[in-house]
């Protein structure tokens, strides 16, 4: 498996660079604490057994590959998912005037968990907010939309957990949050990216019109220890 680009192996490279403060494991086999993220990665696929033994206790993990692989025993593969990895390839975006975006964190964890449970933007756990820079929109003192960072691999920062309460869709909240996150990443001299299911054609169309371009199709394996 060749992984010449940092985003061919985003989880490992994030754990070895921008998210190293959250990293567990060894030099060549790393994973996030399971109450932050299920993602795990290896420097080379022949270190999958090393990853298995580095992880303390049982669990299900997400392993990203740019090509189909045969995940070796003693791992068990529970499922696999195809995603597009999309890079932002445009200028900074204006944020609608009057938009009230709040930096959210530990005090809002229960609301963040409730919103993501109802909208299913991807894995979100008790300490996922440690990835940082979560912005939210509140209506009647209730969190109705949010987006934040996830993997920070070298010069690339992933936008994740983009979600809106179903009662508030169609109001442009996702675009407002995307614009704010894209701008904050560009201001750091980094490149925004994200992952989206290949079957989610509506979201893909939104991201393309916004300025994201598909870089590669990846496979995410759900692997069980």
């Amino acid at each position: 498996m060749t992984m010449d680009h940092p985003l061919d192996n985003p989880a490992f490279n994030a754990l070895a660079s921008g998210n190293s403060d959250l990293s567990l494991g060894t030099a060549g086999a790393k994973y996030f604490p399971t109450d932050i993220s299920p993602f795990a990665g290896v420097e080379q696929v022949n270190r999958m057994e090393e990853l298995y033994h580095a992880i303390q206790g049982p669990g299900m993990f997400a392993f990203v590959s740019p090509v189909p692989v045969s995940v070796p025993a003693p791992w068990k593969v529970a499922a696999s998912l195809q995603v597009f990895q999309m890079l932002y390839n445009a200028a900074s975006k204006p944020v609608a005037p009057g938009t009230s975006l709040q930096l959210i964190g530990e005090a809002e964890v229960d609301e963040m968990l409730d919103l993501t449970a109802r909208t299913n933007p991807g894995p979100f756990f008790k300490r996922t907010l440690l990835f940082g820079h979560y912005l939210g929109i509140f209506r009647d003192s209730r969190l109705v939309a949010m987006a934040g960072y996830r993997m920070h691999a070298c010069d690339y920062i992933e936008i994740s957990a983009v979600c809106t309460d179903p009662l508030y869709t169609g109001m442009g909240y996702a675009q407002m949050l995307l614009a704010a996150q894209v701008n904050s990443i560009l201001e750091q001299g980094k490149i925004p990216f994200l992952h989206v299911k290949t079957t989610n054609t509506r979201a893909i169309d939104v991201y393309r019109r916004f300025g994201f371009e598909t870089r590669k199709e990846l496979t995410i394996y759900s692997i069980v220890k």
Side-chain angles (χ1 to χ4, degrees):
M1 179 171 67
T2 58
M3 295 183 285
D4 297 328
H5 191 284
L7 293 186
D8 285 347
N9 195 5
F12 178 82
N13 285 321
L15 286 158
S17 60
N19 299 125
S20 61
D21 58 323
L22 305 177
S23 178
L24 301 174
T26 68
K30 302 177 182 293
Y31 64 102
F32 289 103
T34 54
D35 59 353
I36 296 177
S37 173
F39 282 95
V42 291
E43 189 174 23
Q44 295 294 334
V45 74
N46 61 6
R47 303 187 82 154
M48 288 297 291
E49 186 174 351
E50 179 182 340
L51 176 65
Y52 186 93
H53 294 295
I55 291 172
Q56 302 299 308
M60 182 177 290
F61 299 86
F63 173 68
V64 185
S65 176
V67 295
V69 296
S70 179
V71 178
W75 288 106
K76 290 182 170 55
V77 177
S80 64
L81 174 70
Q82 299 302 119
V83 299
F84 288 130
Q85 185 181 82
M86 304 184 77
L87 293 182
Y88 187 73
N89 229 356
S92 59
K93 292 281 187 179
V95 178
T99 302
S100 179
L101 303 180
Q102 292 182 221
L103 193 64
I104 53 177
E106 195 169 342
E108 291 79 28
V109 168
D110 288 341
E111 286 194 80
M112 297 165 86
L113 289 168
D114 176 68
L115 180 60
T116 53
R118 289 185 289 111
T119 56
N120 194 29
F124 194 93
F125 305 127
K126 195 79 174 176
R127 294 203 303 147
T128 301
L129 63 95
L130 292 182
F131 282 119
H133 208 260
Y134 278 89
L135 297 175
I137 295 174
F138 289 80
R139 291 294 177 265
D140 298 322
S141 300
R142 189 165 67 91
L143 180 67
V144 299
M146 73 173 196
Y149 291 175
R150 190 164 64 182
M151 289 184 275
H152 182 173
C154 304
D155 291 330
Y156 302 85
I157 297 179
E158 182 186 21
I159 298 172
S160 184
V162 182
C163 55
T164 302
D165 185 309
L167 294 175
Y168 291 86
T169 56
M171 303 183 74
Y173 290 166
Q175 287 85 352
M176 295 176 195
L177 288 161
L178 274 174
Q181 297 292 14
V182 160
N183 292 348
S184 73
I185 294 169
L186 293 177
E187 286 167 6
Q188 298 172 59
K190 306 294 184 181
I191 301 168
F193 77 105
L194 53 80
H195 293 107
V196 58
K197 294 177 185 177
T198 57
T199 55
N200 193 347
T201 53
R202 181 177 176 277
I204 293 166
D205 183 58
V206 168
Y207 293 141
R208 282 180 177 153
R209 284 189 280 109
F210 194 85
F212 285 87
E213 295 181 358
T214 300
R215 177 187 168 266
K216 184 170 281 193
E217 182 173 342
L218 303 175
T219 304
I220 300 178
Y221 294 93
S222 295
I223 55 175
V224 182
K225 176 177 179 180

